[in-house]
Amino acid sequence: MLYNSTENKNEVVSSAQAIAQGISSDGGLFVPQEIPAYTLDTFKDLLPLSYQDRAKKVFADFLTDFTAEEIADCVNKAYTAEKFGSENPAPIVTEKYKGNEISILELWHGPTCAFKDMALQILPHLLTKSLKKTCDGKEAVILVATSGDTGKAALEGFKNVDSTKIIVFYPVDGVSPMQKQQMTTQEGDNVNVCAIKGNFDDAQTGVKKIFTTNEITDKLAEHNMLFSSANSINWGRLLPQIVYYISSYCDLVNSGKIKLGDKINVVVPTGNFGNILAAYYGSCMGLPINKFICASNSNNVLTDFINTGVYNKDRKFYTTISPSMDILVSSNLERLLYKLSGNNDVLVREWMTDLKTKGTYTVTEDVKNQISKLFFGGYCDDAQTKATIKELFDSQGYLCDTHTAVAVNVYNQYVEKTGDKTPVIIASTASPFKFSASVLQAICPDSTLPEAEFDAVDMLKEVSNADVPKPLASLKDKSVRFSNVENVSDMPKFVLKALGIE
Ligand SMILES: *Cc1c(COP(=O)(O)O)cnc(C)c1O
């Protein structure tokens, strides 16, 4: 199977090249030229398998230039019980919210307690193998712009992985104290972390610019290095996410909650549009999904887009209690637009150029209609997010994080609006302890918050009786290694310095 750029169909690469390169040289994103089709019989064969074996099947169908041994090696290294707490890295918990049964897919049992571990524990293995196949001997420099969770998950995934170096940029005031502590205390010999004076979009634009500045890429080449990306635009990030939608569907069938072939709805708290896009690709493969419910916080650019067909990033930026969704440019949307426009690279490039130059683009009537058939877009603000956490906790004793709460809230809006009671999977993207202060404030609105993040963790544990994940509990005693704060314009300089090739 080959891959091409969303902005230039003639740019055709193997899967190893797509993963090694991260982003196409024309600025477009790599997409598979065709999507494997699964029948109900394929799903039937997957039912008795473990998560790991289901993953191997899906990977093999997309990464046709990898051997079965290579894929098995990647999967077996990534999804261990040691790293994810149990054999199934993505368990489902069934709860009720306002009278409706919800299946919560907990994607945060990995080393950094957020769903990004599902992809970033395997990406470094896919990437090092891809590099061996495509440009043996080169060292990969991973640049990451993060709104919090990606950065830490990438650092954990890449730390001390041979032939790689990783540099992470985060918005200085745009991550939670816990996320900051996680990143600035990161261990590993090949890691670097830097705060920037700007928001997430500034960081992401800065990284994209470095990737495409010839002066810098030439300098790396001189030193036998090349840039790669661990951001959610890398195909190696997206593919592992398809697996858990397929696997959780199988789990629902096995538990008797649905029959094989029954449709489900999926709800995804969305930022960069990677997670929900993976569900969409799953449905393109044959996974019976009825509706994709795209949940946003007050940065509701996607809600408006789904409802109007107009994407407009020129709007107020809100810093919310669900910071991993504080995003105004959802990069992975480009892949959806490519698919829905019938692989129209010319149109997609036009829209992306409009986005860069005018801050807005309008899709065709046809694409807009397809989107409104497939997707429901909704959002809620911080007060509604907190009320949802409280209601779910008070009624069920189930503690969810702020991002998951946005999804639960928007799901409820969807049911109230449509009456659609199709069985639902709600993606739960972070441990509540990763956002302890906000979650605590939600369930005990009248108590005074402790000032230190780790006191909030302890207090939340006491109030909720839930267990603090080990990786978070051990953070308290780690010392800060990275304290740089730089201007956006100085990001290139920081990179060269960090690599020792100024
Ligand atoms: C990254 C992240 C999201 C958003 O996921 P996208 O794939 O960017 O849409 C939601 N919740 C949490 C906790 C995250 O870390």
Side-chain angles (χ1 to χ4, degrees), residues 26 30 36 49 54 81 141 147 191 256 260 289 303-304 314 334 373 422 427 435 440 446 489-490 497:
D26 51 59
F30 289 118
L49 303 186
R54 291 169 186 161
V141 177
S147 56
V191 304
L260 186 62
I289 298 178
T303 312
D304 287 348
D314 282 337
E334 179 167 347
K373 246 190 228 136
T422 302
F435 301 93
L440 193 56
D446 300 324
S489 57
D490 291 329
K497 193 164 174 202

Side-chain angles (χ1 to χ4, degrees), residues 21-24 27 141-147 150 166-171 192 194 196 199-214 216-217 220 227-233 272 331 487-492 494-495:
Q21 236 174 285
I23 189 167
S24 171
V141 177
I142 315 297
L143 291 190
V144 180
T146 184
S147 56
T150 304
I166 174 163
I167 304 171
V168 170
F169 295 98
Y170 69 93
N192 224 308
C194 177
I196 60 132
N199 62 31
F200 168 73
D201 290 319
D202 297 326
Q204 179 157 268
T205 308
V207 163
K208 271 196 167 181
K209 206 163 156 192
I210 294 172
F211 268 123
T212 48
T213 304
N214 290 338
I216 304 176
T217 52
L220 258 74
F227 280 130
S228 190
S229 138
N231 272 7
S232 67
I233 50 176
N272 223 357
S331 306
N487 289 314
V488 175
S489 57
D490 291 329
M491 285 170 65
F494 182 88
V495 168

Side-chain angles (χ1 to χ4, degrees), residues 113-116 147-150 179 232 237-238 241 244 268-277 302 322-325 327 330 332 401-404 427-431 434-435:
C113 310
F115 92 99
K116 301 206 166 57
S147 56
D149 290 328
T150 304
Q179 290 173 326
S232 67
R237 276 281 301 279
L238 213 48
Q241 300 187 298
Y244 53 71
V268 185
T270 298
N272 223 357
F273 210 77
N275 200 358
I276 195 166
L277 182 75
L302 284 167
S322 45
S324 300
M325 295 152 68
I327 289 174
S330 299
N332 265 306
D401 92 294
T402 48
H403 305 76
T404 308
S428 174
T429 50
S431 158
K434 207 157 177 185
F435 301 93

